[in-house]
Amino acid sequence: MLLEIAYMVLPLSISFELFPPRTPEGLAKLPAVIAQLAAAGPKYFSVTHGAGGSEQDGTYETLLTVVKHCGVEVAPHLTCVGSTRANIAAHLQRYRDAGVRRIVALRGDLPATAMSASAPGDFHYANELVSFIRETLGEHFLIEVAAYPEMHPQAPNSTVDFENFKRKVEAGADAAITQLFYNADAYFHFMERCEKAGIRIPVVPGIMPITGFANIVRFCGGCGADLPRWVRLRLEELEDDKPALQDFGAEVVTRLCETLLRGGAPGLHFYTINQAGPTLRLCKNLGLSLHVRE
Ligand SMILES: Cc1cc2nc3c(=O)[nH]c(=O)nc-3n(C[C@H](O)[C@H](O)[C@H](O)COP(=O)(O)OP(=O)(O)OC[C@H]3O[C@@H](n4cnc5c(N)ncnc54)[C@H](O)[C@@H]3O)c2cc1C
């Protein structure tokens, strides 16, 4: 099903997120996943970065794998909580030397026991990282930050959280990617708040394909995203019929993406979980790529 819709004529920002593989099998299949996703013509790949020490070399290795297997731009994520200025400066220098021009600047999450205003390190919030990047490297990097249409789970309320988002924009963020969500209205409400606050940077919805009941419930629970009741009930019912569950999941997420794009979203950022199939299926449903094969 190719959708004949007006958004296709606009230059959309379509990006794919990868994580550094944690197993030898994941590592072995990564080049093929990258090649399949690259064929869909994304604007860039992003690569996650663990907070407080985990996965940090993995981000760089994965970035090099993307560079080696396709010519698509790569944006490493950089988390700052628990890090020193010297450590962050070293990461930035390494990325600059590798030709990187885009960074996803984040606070990250330390284990709950270490996560407090007195956490070790020179940074406590992402706006401090954005300021540090601008102070040390000027305009070299295009800086993406995270946005939370359904509020960050640790924020006391949505007004405070929005003010904190604004701080990141004022510190020099060029664009934002949202946390995953399944309520288009939450995104549109967030965009209305941006409009009223004079925030004009692109805010690209983060899209998580639905491929299983337990994992989507876990992802939503982990980041405070609301999985609509009717979707949760239907996924639970289809839990033992994987093809039917995946058809339903693809239908729900395709409809979400269509609504977002028709409502003016400037693009889509797919949380691929290092699997090409579910994301490419959505791109194909949305008519986003001429290269996606049957
Ligand atoms: C697109 C995207 C990509 C992600 N990639 C990764 C990744 O690669 N690795 C990883 O570990 N995690 C990643 N995360 C998760 C992210 O690290 C967590 O959501 C984390 O809890 C918050 O990061 P942040 O950059 O949004 O933090 P912040 O913007 O710093 O916000 C964190 C919390 O602190 C509050 N706050 C912000 N600034 C201040 C301030 N100055 N004073 C007081 N309170 C403040 C906010 O309201 C919010 O509740 C990603 C999230 C998104 C949406």
Side-chain angles (χ1 to χ4, degrees):
M1 173 185 55
L2 266 185
L3 298 159
E4 300 296 327
I5 38 186
Y7 62 69
M8 288 183 67
V9 299
L10 299 171
L12 294 174
S13 172
I14 304 299
S15 48
F16 297 146
E17 183 171 308
L18 302 169
F19 65 84
R22 296 185 195 102
T23 62
E25 297 74 36
L27 198 59
K29 76 173 208 199
L30 189 64
V33 170
I34 291 169
Q36 282 173 285
L37 289 168
K43 185 169 181 185
Y44 67 94
F45 281 94
S46 80
V47 183
T48 64
H49 184 256
S54 64
E55 288 181 12
Q56 299 197 341
D57 281 339
T59 304
Y60 187 68
E61 298 303 323
T62 304
L63 182 149
L64 295 183
T65 308
V66 176
V67 171
K68 187 170 159 198
H69 291 276
C70 68
V72 178
E73 181 183 3
V74 201
H77 296 203
L78 183 58
T79 56
C80 63
V81 68
S83 289
T84 60
R85 285 189 179 78
N87 185 257
I88 292 291
H91 277 296
L92 292 169
Q93 192 55 48
R94 183 153 76 149
Y95 292 140
R96 194 159 93 145
D97 292 347
V100 169
R101 298 304 301 254
R102 184 189 300 257
I103 293 265
V104 184
L106 301 146
R107 182 193 72 177
D109 291 308
L110 287 178
T113 45
M115 195 75 239
S116 74
S118 58
D122 294 330
F123 300 89
H124 299 101
Y125 298 107
N127 66 295
E128 297 162 18
L129 176 61
V130 176
S131 298
F132 181 77
I133 298 172
R134 287 287 177 245
E135 278 159 25
T136 53
L137 290 162
E139 299 300 312
H140 178 81
F141 291 112
L142 188 153
I143 303 178
E144 306 264 358
V145 291
Y148 298 86
E150 294 183 311
M151 198 181 91
H152 184 269
Q154 290 160 356
N157 60 56
S158 73
T159 303
V160 169
D161 200 37
F162 189 79
E163 284 305 312
N164 287 328
F165 172 68
K166 199 170 161 211
R167 269 183 229 269
K168 296 193 276 195
V169 178
E170 287 166 354
D174 298 292
I177 304 167
T178 76
Q179 185 56 277
L180 68 96
F181 62 90
Y182 293 99
N183 285 308
D185 283 341
Y187 173 80
F188 294 130
H189 178 65
F190 188 85
M191 295 315 294
E192 280 165 22
R193 283 182 124 165
C194 287
E195 176 76 29
K196 284 188 191 137
I199 294 174
R200 307 255 182 266
I201 64 167
V203 179
V204 175
I207 302 297
M208 175 72 81
I210 296 179
T211 59
F213 172 66
N215 65 1
I216 207 66
V217 167
R218 196 177 63 249
F219 290 141
C220 289
C223 68
D226 180 41
L227 186 62
R229 180 178 154 81
W230 69 275
V231 176
R232 186 174 58 75
L233 289 175
R234 187 77 181 118
L235 291 174
E236 191 168 14
E237 198 181 314
L238 295 172
E239 195 176 5
D240 297 327
D241 183 350
K242 207 162 175 143
L245 183 145
Q246 292 182 348
D247 286 350
F248 173 70
E251 199 185 303
V252 167
V253 181
T254 299
R255 214 176 298 157
L256 170 72
C257 295
E258 278 172 28
T259 307
L260 292 168
L261 293 174
R262 285 204 174 103
L268 300 168
H269 177 83
F270 290 94
Y271 297 110
T272 71
I273 317 292
N274 290 9
Q275 292 174 26
T279 290
L280 292 179
R281 179 173 182 177
L282 295 172
C283 290
K284 181 166 180 274
N285 287 352
L286 293 161
L288 288 177
S289 171
L290 299 175
H291 308 289
V292 180
R293 299 208 184 95
E294 291 292 330

